[in-house]
C-alpha cells in the first residue's frame, strides 16, 4: 500500500482515492464525477501523446488531463 | 388541465431519445432567454391531459459553474414544472444518483426514469427498483428510451404526481458533524429573516452558501447584505476549522457525503453486480484498438477524412441542383424584367442572396449528419481524447478539431458549418476561441482566389504553394487562438474531466431529427439577416450610379463604333440571338461593343460606394501592395470569398469573370506592371486571414450569442490580415525578392 498521484499510476493499476487536492471549479468538476475519497479507480489507458489519461470509476470511463490527475492522490494496491 | 414536465439528467443518459420518443414531431427548438443554450419543448398528450415537455440541458450536477447548470436550475425555480422526470442511466447508477440527490435537496418533485435498463442487464447489473423507490420515497420506473419501453408507465406515474400535487418530503442528509452544525445555525438565521425563502428552501440556501455558490451568494448580497455577510462569516469559520482539522473544504465535505449517502443506499441490496465492475466490456475492447497509440491516430485520420468527403462530395450534387435552380431563376428574371435597377436588385441582391443562404443548406445537412453519427456513436469523445494534448497547447480543447476540419482544415471546407460544429464543445472559453479562429481555414470559396494568383505568378510550384497555404492557415489559426486565450478570452483551461461514453449504435431516427433541427435553425436564424446584408452589399457596389455625363460618353463611343461599320453588320448583330453564328465583321463589332460595356462597368464600379472605399483606402493598402482594384475586390469578397475573382474581373474591364475560368484574368494580372509575385503573395496572406464572409460572421454572432463577437472577428481579422500582408510586402520589397 502506497500513496501516489494519479499521474504516476501505470496502465491497469488500480487503487482507492485518498485525497482530492483541487478546489474551485476544478475540484467541483472532479468530485461531481464521483472522484471523491474512498472511490475505487483503475487506469484504463492513455492518449497517444500520454495525456489525457482514461480511468474507470464506478463502471464508467472518465478522462482527465495530467495536470488534473496531479491533484488526485491514490492509495494503490 | 395542462402542466409542464421537465426532463433532466446526466449527459448521455438518453434524455434526448426519451424526449423524441415522447413528443415525436411535436417539438420546438429555441434558446433560453439571453443565452445560447438550446431549449427544446414539445407536447405529450395522454387521456386528454396535455403536458408540455421541456428538455433541460444535460448536467452532472446543479452547481452554478456552467451555463447549462445555471439554466437548468433557473428553469426549475422560476417555471416550477409540475414534476421533473429525472433520467437515470441504470448502467451507471451511482454517478447519476448524484444529480437526483441534488434535486431532492432542493425540494423539487421528481420521478426517476431508470433508463438503459437493457444495457445494465447485459452488464450483469441488477437493480431492485421497488426498494430504490421505497428508499428515496419517489416513483422509479424502468425504461428503455430507445425502444419506448416503459414510456407509458413513466408518464402515468408523472401524471399521478402532478395530480396529487403534494410537495415532496425534502431529503436532508448529513454532511458530517461540523457542516451539519453550521447548516443548522445558518438555517435558523435564514428562516428568521425570510431570506430568499420565497424561492428557495432555507436549508438549501445555507447549503449553497457552504458550497460557495456564486449565483446564490450574489443574489444574497443584493437582497440583504448584512445577513449575507453574516452567513459568509459562518462559512469562513467552518472553512478554517475544516482546513485545520481535516485539510479539506466545506464543499468537498458535502460532495463526499453525498456520494457516501449514495453508496450506503446501494449497499442496501438495491443493486447487485454479477460481474467484476472493472471487467472489459465490448466497448472497452473496441477502445483498445481505436485509441491505440499507433492504430488510433491512423484510424482517426481515416474517419475524419471520410466524414469530410461524405460532407463535401455528397453535398455537391444537391448544391449543384440549387445552383442551377437559382441560375435558371436569374435567367428568367434576366429575360422578363426590363434592364435597370430593379432587375439588378432582383438578380444580384435578392436571388444571389437567397441562393447564397440556401446553397449552404445541403452542406450543413450532410455535415451535421456526419457529426451526429460520430457524436451519437461515442467516437467524437475519443477524437477529443486523442487530440487534446495538441490543442491544449493553444488554449483549445480536443473537440475543437471538428470545427477546424469542417471549416477547411483540409482545404475546401466551409466556415459556416464549421462555426456551427463548434457546438460540440462544452467549455465556453475554448469554444469562443475556436469560433473566432476557424474562419482562417481555407474554405472552398478562397480556393479560386488562390488558384487565380498561383496560376498567374507561381504556376511552376502550384502544389507546393497550396500546401504552404494550408500550413499557414493552420499555424495562424492555432497561434491566434493562443493569443486570444492569453488576452481577451483569458482564463484557466476549463477542466477536461470528460466521460467516454460506451460505443452505441446510433438510431436513424435520432440522426435525422438532429440533422433537421440544426438545418432548420440555420435557415430560420441566418436566412433573414443574410438576405438583408446581401442587398446592402449589392447597393454598395451599385450606388451611386454613373452620372449621365459619364454614361453619355460611353453611349457616344458605342455610336461612333457602330457608325464606323456598314449598317448591314449592325443589323446582323442586333437581330441575331445569342447562339447564332456571326460573320467575321459582326463578331468584330460585338467585341468592340463588349469592350466598351466592360469599361463602363469598370467606371461604374469605381464610382460606387465600394469603389470609393477602395480608392480612399489606396494610400494605406499600398503598404501591402494593393491598388484600388484589389481593394474593391476584397470588399466584394465580404459577400463570399470567390467574389474577389469576379470583382477583379470587372475592375480590370474584363466583365464578370467566372471564378472557375480565370485564364484571361490571370494573364492580365501577370502582365500588369502593378502586380508581381510579391503582391500576389501578400494578397494570398490577406485572403487567408481577413474578415470572414458575412454568412460566417452572422453564424459566429449567433453561436457566440452576441453581435459583438461578429464585429470583433471582422475588425480583428482584417487588421491582422493587413499587418501580415504589409509585413510580407515590405520585407519582400526591402530584400528585393519576388519582384517579378
Ligand atoms: N440500449 C439503450 N440505448 C439507449 C437507451 N436510451 C438511449 N440510448 C442511446 O444512448 C445514446 C445517448 O442518448 P441521448 O438521448 O443522445 O442522450 P442524452 O442524455 O440526450 O445526451 P446529451 O445529448 O449528450 O445530453 C443514443 O445513442 C441512444 O440511442 C436505452 O434505454 N437503451
Amino acid at each position: 500500500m502506497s500513496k501516489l498521484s494519479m499521474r504516476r499510476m501505470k496502465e491497469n493499476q488500480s487503487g482507492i482515492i485518498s485525497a482530492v487536492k483541487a478546489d474551485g471549479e476544478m475540484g467541483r468538476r472532479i468530485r461531481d464525477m464521483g472522484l471523491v475519497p474512498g472511490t475505487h479507480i483503475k487506469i484504463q489507458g492513455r492518449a497517444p501523446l500520454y495525456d489525457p489519461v482514461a480511468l474507470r470509476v464506478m463502471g464508467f470511463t472518465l478522462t482527465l488531463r495530467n495536470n488534473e490527475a496531479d491533484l488526485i492522490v491514490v492509495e494503490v494496491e | 388541465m395542462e402542466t409542464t414536465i421537465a426532463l433532466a439528467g446526466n449527459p448521455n443518459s438518453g434524455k434526448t431519445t426519451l424526449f423524441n420518443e415522447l413528443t415525436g414531431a411535436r417539438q420546438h427548438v429555441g434558446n433560453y432567454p439571453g443565452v445560447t443554450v438550446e431549449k427544446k419543448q414539445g407536447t405529450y398528450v395522454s387521456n386528454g391531459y396535455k403536458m408540455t415537455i421541456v428538455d433541460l440541458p444535460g448536467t452532472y450536477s446543479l452547481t452554478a459553474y456552467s451555463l447549462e447548470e445555471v439554466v437548468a436550475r433557473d428553469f426549475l425555480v422560476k417555471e416550477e414544472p409540475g414534476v421533473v422526470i429525472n433520467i437515470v442511466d441504470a448502467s451507471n447508477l451511482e454517478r447519476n444518483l448524484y444529480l437526483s440527490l441534488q434535486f431532492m435537496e432542493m425540494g423539487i418533485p421528481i420521478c426517476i426514469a431508470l433508463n438503459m435498463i437493457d444495457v445494465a442487464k447485459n452488464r450483469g447489473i441488477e437493480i431492485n427498483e421497488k426498494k430504490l423507490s421505497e428508499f428515496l420515497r419517489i416513483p422509479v420506473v424502468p425504461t428503455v428510451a430507445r425502444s419506448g419501453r416503459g414510456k407509458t408507465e413513466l408518464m402515468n406515474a408523472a401524471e399521478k404526481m402532478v395530480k396529487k400535487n403534494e410537495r415532496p418530503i425534502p431529503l436532508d442528509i448529513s454532511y458530517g458533524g461540523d457542516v451539519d452544525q453550521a447548516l443548522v445555525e445558518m438555517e435558523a438565521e435564514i428562516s428568521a429573516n425570510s431570506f430568499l425563502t420565497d424561492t428557495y428552501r432555507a436549508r438549501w440556501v445555507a447549503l449553497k452558501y457552504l458550497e460557495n455558490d456564486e449565483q446564490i451568494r450574489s443574489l444574497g448580497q443584493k437582497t440583504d447584505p448584512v445577513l449575507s455577510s453574516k452567513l459568509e462569516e459562518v462559512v469562513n469559520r467552518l472553512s478554517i476549522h475544516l482546513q485545520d482539522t481535516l485539510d479539506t473544504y466545506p464543499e468537498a465535505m458535502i460532495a463526499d457525503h453525498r456520494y457516501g449517502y449514495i453508496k450506503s443506499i446501494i449497499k442496501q441490496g438495491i443493486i447487485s453486480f454479477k460481474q467484476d465492475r472493472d471487467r472489459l466490456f465490448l466497448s472497452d475492447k473496441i477502445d483498445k484498438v481505436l485509441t491505440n497509440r499507433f492504430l488510433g491516430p491512423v484510424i482517426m485520420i481515416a474517419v475524419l477524412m471520410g466524414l469530410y468527403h461524405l460532407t463535401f462530395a455528397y453535398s455537391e450534387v444537391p448544391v449543384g441542383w440549387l445552383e442551377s435552380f437559382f441560375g435558371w431563376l436569374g435567367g428568367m428574371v434576366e429575360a422578363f424584367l426590363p434592364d435597370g435597377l430593379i432587375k439588378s436588385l432582383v438578380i444580384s441582391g435578392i436571388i444571389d442572396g437567397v441562393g447564397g443562404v440556401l446553397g449552404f443548406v445541403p452542406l450543413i445537412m450532410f455535415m451535421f449528419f456526419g457529426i451526429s453519427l460520430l457524436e451519437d456513436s461515442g467516437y467524437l469523445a475519443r477524437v477529443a481524447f486523442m487530440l487534446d494534448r495538441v490543442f491544449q497547447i493553444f488554449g483549445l480543447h480536443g473537440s475543437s478539431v471538428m470545427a477546424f476540419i469542417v471549416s477547411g482544415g483540409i482545404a475546401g471546407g466551409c466556415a459556416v458549418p464549421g462555426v456551427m460544429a463548434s457546438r460540440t464543445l462544452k467549455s465556453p472559453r475554448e469554444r469562443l476561441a475556436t469560433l473566432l479562429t476557424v474562419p482562417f481555414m481555407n474554405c472552398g470559396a478562397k480556393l479560386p482566389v488562390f488558384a487565380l494568383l498561383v496560376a498567374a505568378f507561381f504556376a511552376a510550384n502550384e502544389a507546393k504553394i497550396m500546401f504552404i497555404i494550408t500550413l499557414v492557415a493552420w499555424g495562424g489559426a492555432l497561434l491566434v487562438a493562443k493569443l486570444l486565450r492569453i488576452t481577451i478570452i483569458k482564463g484557466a483551461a476549463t477542466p477536461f474531466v470528460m466521460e467516454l461514453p460506451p460505443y452505441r449504435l446510433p438510431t436513424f431516427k435520432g440522426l435525422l431529427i438532429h440533422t433537421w433541427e440544426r438545418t432548420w435553425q440555420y435557415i430560420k436564424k441566418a436566412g433573414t439577416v443574410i438576405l438583408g446584408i446581401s442587398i446592402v452589399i449589392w447597393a454598395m457596389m451599385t450606388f451611386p450610379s454613373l452620372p449621365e455625363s459619364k454614361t453619355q460618353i460611353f453611349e457616344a463611343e458605342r455610336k461612333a463604333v457602330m457608325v464606323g461599320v456598314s449598317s448591314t453588320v449592325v443589323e446582323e448583330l442586333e437581330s441575331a440571338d445569342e447562339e447564332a453564328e456571326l460573320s467575321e465583321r459582326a463578331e468584330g463589332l460585338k467585341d468592340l461593343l463588349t469592350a466598351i460595356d466592360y469599361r463602363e462597368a469598370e467606371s461604374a464600379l469605381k464610382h460606387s460606394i465600394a469603389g470609393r472605399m477602395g480608392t480612399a483606402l489606396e494610400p494605406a493598402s499600398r503598404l501591402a501592395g494593393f491598388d484600388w482594384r484589389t481593394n474593391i475586390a476584397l470588399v466584394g469578397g465580404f459577400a463570399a470569398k470567390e467574389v474577389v475573382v469576379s470583382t477583379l474581373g470587372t475592375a480590370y474591364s474584363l466583365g464578370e469573370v467566372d471564378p472557375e475560368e480565370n485564364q484571361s484574368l490571370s494573364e492580365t494580372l501577370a502582365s500588369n506592371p502593378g502586380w508581381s509575385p510579391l503582391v500576389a503573395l501578400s494578397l494570398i496572406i490577406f485572403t487567408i486571414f481577413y474578415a470572414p464572409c458575412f454568412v460566417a460572421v452572422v453564424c459566429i454572432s449567433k453561436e457566440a450569442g452576441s453581435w459583438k463577437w461578429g464585429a470583433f472577428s471582422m475588425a480583428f481579422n482584417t487588421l491582422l490580415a493587413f499587418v501580415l500582408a504589409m509585413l510580407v510586402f515590405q520585407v519582400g520589397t526591402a530584400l528585393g525578392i519576388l519582384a517579378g
Side-chain angles (χ1 to χ4, degrees):
Chain A
M1 287 284 222
S2 65
K3 286 185 183 179
L4 73 163
S5 91
M6 189 185 283
R7 184 204 281 258
R8 297 182 35 230
M9 287 175 74
K10 294 190 190 55
E11 208 160 303
N12 288 325
Q13 196 173 18
S14 58
I16 305 241
I17 296 179
S18 64
V20 177
K21 294 184 182 157
D23 61 349
E25 180 176 2
M26 176 93 76
R28 180 81 55 97
R29 291 256 170 267
I30 290 177
R31 284 189 288 268
D32 281 352
M33 297 301 259
L35 299 179
V36 295
T39 305
H40 173 92
I41 58 128
K42 180 177 174 194
I43 302 292
Q44 193 161 313
R46 286 193 155 80
L49 297 168
Y50 293 93
D51 184 19
V53 53
L55 52 126
R56 191 148 194 97
V57 43
M58 300 188 297
F60 67 97
T61 306
L62 194 66
T63 63
L64 287 178
R65 285 182 178 156
N66 275 340
N67 55 11
E68 294 158 357
D70 276 340
L71 304 171
I72 300 173
V73 184
V74 182
E75 194 160 309
V76 296
E77 285 134 25
Chain B
M1 199 178 149
E2 286 188 23
T3 187
T4 303
I5 293 182
L7 298 187
N10 283 187
N12 280 307
S13 56
K15 237 158 33 65
T16 311
T17 312
L18 182 66
F19 178 76
N20 289 338
E21 195 58 46
L22 289 176
T23 61
R26 297 173 304 277
Q27 45 175 277
H28 167 81
V29 187
N31 274 1
Y32 286 92
V35 292
T36 47
V37 178
E38 234 167 53
K39 179 183 189 179
K40 287 207 229 170
Q41 231 167 348
T43 48
Y44 176 83
V45 183
S46 102
N47 323 322
Y49 195 71
K50 193 170 153 210
M51 298 175 234
T52 304
I53 316 266
V54 177
D55 190 13
L56 293 180
T59 62
Y60 293 109
S61 177
L62 277 184
T63 54
Y65 273 115
S66 78
L67 203 53
E68 281 80 7
E69 291 173 352
V70 174
V71 164
R73 218 166 75 177
D74 284 349
F75 183 87
L76 295 178
V77 175
K78 298 207 177 103
E79 311 280 325
E80 291 190 56
V83 61
V84 173
I85 294 184
N86 176 205
I87 295 134
V88 164
D89 176 355
S91 66
N92 210 335
L93 192 61
E94 289 169 71
R95 201 202 60 215
N96 277 257
L97 284 179
Y98 187 71
L99 181 66
S100 316
L101 224 58
Q102 294 184 56
F103 288 128
M104 294 161 77
E105 287 172 343
M106 267 181 102
I108 287 179
I110 64 169
C111 160
I112 287 185
L114 198 59
N115 196 34
M116 308 239 186
I117 205 84
D118 54 332
V119 180
K121 193 163 268 159
N122 278 339
R123 295 193 162 195
I125 302 171
E126 250 175 62
I127 298 171
N128 185 337
E129 75 257 7
K130 277 218 185 67
K131 231 171 171 176
L132 181 64
S133 170
E134 276 161 25
F135 214 95
L136 297 176
R137 285 180 292 189
I138 49 177
V140 175
V141 182
T143 60
V144 179
R146 226 178 142 118
S147 67
R149 209 180 93 199
K151 167 174 96 171
T152 323
E153 292 85 340
L154 176 68
M155 292 316 283
N156 288 344
E159 200 184 314
K160 214 155 98 195
M161 280 187 77
V162 176
K163 284 194 175 138
K164 269 202 298 192
N165 192 27
E166 56 187 32
R167 297 313 287 177
I169 311 149
L171 179 74
D172 292 336
I173 62 177
S174 159
Y175 306 101
D178 296 329
V179 178
D180 286 349
Q181 206 182 333
L183 265 180
V184 170
E185 187 183 332
M186 292 165 80
E187 203 184 332
E189 288 279 0
I190 292 168
S191 301
N193 292 283
S194 301
F195 177 68
L196 303 180
T197 44
D198 46 345
T199 10
Y200 304 104
R201 290 183 64 213
R203 186 179 162 94
W204 190 79
V205 173
L207 196 60
K208 289 295 133 174
Y209 262 84
L210 287 171
E211 282 189 298
N212 263 322
D213 191 285
E214 293 273 335
Q215 199 197 16
I216 295 299
R217 278 195 172 196
S218 66
L219 190 68
Q221 264 310 332
K222 265 187 241 140
T223 320
D224 186 347
V226 180
L227 181 57
S228 182
S229 306
K230 211 163 159 190
L231 295 176
E232 278 170 35
E233 192 46 46
V234 179
V235 178
N236 285 345
R237 230 177 23 210
L238 177 68
S239 300
I240 295 168
H241 176 72
L242 286 180
Q243 195 70 53
D244 289 347
T245 52
L246 298 164
D247 190 21
T248 182
Y249 324 87
E251 48 170 321
M253 281 294 272
I254 293 169
D256 294 355
H257 279 83
R258 282 194 191 119
Y259 269 109
Y261 180 80
I262 293 169
K263 280 174 189 150
S264 73
I265 302 180
I266 301 245
K267 283 207 192 96
Q268 310 276 331
I270 282 173
I271 190 166
S272 65
F273 301 98
K274 297 243 165 66
Q275 293 161 354
D276 172 15
R277 299 188 75 188
D278 284 343
R279 195 190 89 129
L280 292 185
F281 299 108
L282 177 64
S283 183
D284 305 304
K285 287 181 191 146
I286 298 175
D287 259 341
K288 287 264 174 250
V289 180
L290 292 189
T291 61
N292 176 281
R293 185 148 298 143
F294 305 104
L295 270 179
V298 175
I299 296 173
M300 178 173 69
I301 290 170
V303 169
L304 292 181
M305 295 279 269
L307 172 76
Y308 186 82
H309 283 290
L310 173 89
T311 311
F312 290 98
Y314 287 95
S315 63
E316 220 168 68
V317 180
V319 167
W321 292 339
L322 282 172
E323 271 174 9
S324 358
F325 172 73
F326 284 101
W328 171 81
L329 205 61
M332 296 298 280
V333 172
E334 176 81 51
F336 288 108
L337 278 186
D339 277 344
L341 277 181
I342 300 281
K343 177 169 170 175
S344 163
L345 169 66
V346 171
I347 296 181
S348 310
I350 299 175
I351 296 184
D352 283 3
V354 174
V357 173
L358 295 183
F360 286 110
V361 167
L363 215 62
I364 289 174
M365 283 175 82
F366 276 85
M367 193 224 25
F368 271 110
F369 188 82
I371 291 187
S372 308
L373 194 71
L374 294 192
E375 207 178 0
D376 287 3
S377 64
Y379 188 66
L380 204 56
R382 271 74 183 180
V383 173
F385 171 64
M386 285 190 279
L387 282 175
D388 183 67
R389 182 64 251 190
V390 179
F391 282 86
Q392 187 190 335
I393 299 171
F394 301 99
L396 298 171
H397 187 279
S399 308
S400 304
V401 69
M402 229 40 230
F404 277 99
I405 289 188
V406 173
S407 296
I410 306 172
C414 174
V416 172
V419 163
M420 295 174 78
S422 68
R423 286 202 189 165
T424 49
L425 271 154
K426 297 272 182 273
S427 2
R429 287 185 289 269
E430 284 81 351
R431 178 160 182 262
L432 190 55
T434 307
L435 272 178
L436 292 175
T437 48
V438 291
F440 296 141
M441 296 288 115
N442 294 316
C443 70
K446 288 182 193 171
L447 294 183
V449 184
F450 299 146
L452 169 74
L453 296 171
V454 170
F457 299 99
F458 308 101
N461 295 315
E462 210 173 312
K464 204 156 83 190
I465 296 283
M466 287 312 278
F467 183 65
I468 293 175
I469 290 175
T470 305
L471 287 188
V472 168
W474 269 101
L478 292 177
L479 289 175
V480 171
K482 181 73 191 173
L483 180 73
L484 292 175
R485 288 286 279 112
I486 54 179
T487 54
I488 55 169
I489 325 178
K490 193 156 49 184
T494 313
F496 185 72
V497 189
M498 181 180 79
E499 191 185 354
L500 287 186
Y503 289 104
R504 290 198 178 100
L505 210 55
T507 60
F508 200 60
K509 183 174 154 196
L511 290 180
L512 288 187
I513 290 181
H514 202 102
T515 307
W516 171 245
E517 253 168 41
R518 296 286 192 246
T519 313
W520 179 238
Q521 267 183 335
Y522 164 76
I523 298 176
K524 206 173 53 177
K525 277 199 206 154
T528 43
V529 188
I530 289 167
L531 179 59
I533 299 180
S534 167
I535 292 175
V536 170
I537 293 180
W538 165 82
M540 278 174 60
M541 299 184 71
T542 313
F543 295 110
S545 42
L546 277 183
E548 193 115 346
S549 56
K550 286 273 178 57
T551 50
Q552 269 165 5
I553 297 176
F554 289 105
E555 201 46 42
E557 276 186 42
R558 274 186 209 111
K559 287 232 173 71
V561 173
M562 290 209 258
V563 169
V565 295
S566 75
S567 57
T568 48
V569 178
V570 176
E571 250 166 49
E572 182 191 345
L573 184 63
E574 275 171 2
S575 60
D577 55 30
E578 273 188 38
E579 315 281 297
E581 190 98 3
L582 293 173
S583 69
E584 202 173 306
R585 286 170 61 200
E587 195 70 64
L589 176 64
K590 189 180 173 187
D591 289 349
L592 283 174
L593 287 175
T594 317
I596 296 172
D597 287 349
Y598 285 170
R599 273 196 289 119
E600 185 174 358
E602 179 195 340
S603 12
L605 183 59
K606 191 172 182 183
H607 192 75
S608 69
I609 300 177
R612 288 169 197 208
M613 276 166 68
T615 319
L617 287 173
E618 209 179 52
S621 70
R622 277 270 165 229
L623 293 172
F626 308 152
D627 65 2
W628 65 269
R629 292 188 172 89
T630 311
N631 293 349
I632 300 181
L634 291 171
V635 172
F638 183 56
K641 292 291 157 73
E642 73 261 23
V643 173
V644 170
V645 177
S646 56
T647 313
L648 266 182
T650 310
Y652 279 96
S653 297
L654 296 169
E656 274 198 27
V657 169
D658 181 347
E660 307 291 318
E661 287 161 27
N662 57 30
Q663 210 176 6
S664 58
L665 182 57
S666 84
E667 281 162 12
T668 306
L669 296 187
S671 59
N672 189 302
W675 283 81
S676 66
L678 186 62
V679 175
L681 191 65
S682 162
L683 182 55
I684 288 176
I685 296 292
F686 192 84
T687 307
I688 296 177
F689 290 101
Y690 92 108
C693 70
F694 73 82
V695 186
V697 172
V698 171
C699 288
I700 291 174
S701 311
K702 297 279 180 199
E703 295 294 320
S706 149
W707 288 98
K708 198 179 76 186
W709 290 113
F712 172 83
S713 82
M714 278 165 62
F716 173 79
N717 293 14
T718 307
L719 197 67
L720 174 76
F722 183 68
V723 170
L724 293 177
M726 191 172 71
L727 269 179
V728 167
F729 187 72
Q730 294 300 334
V731 171
T733 310
L735 300 178
I737 50 169
L738 294 175

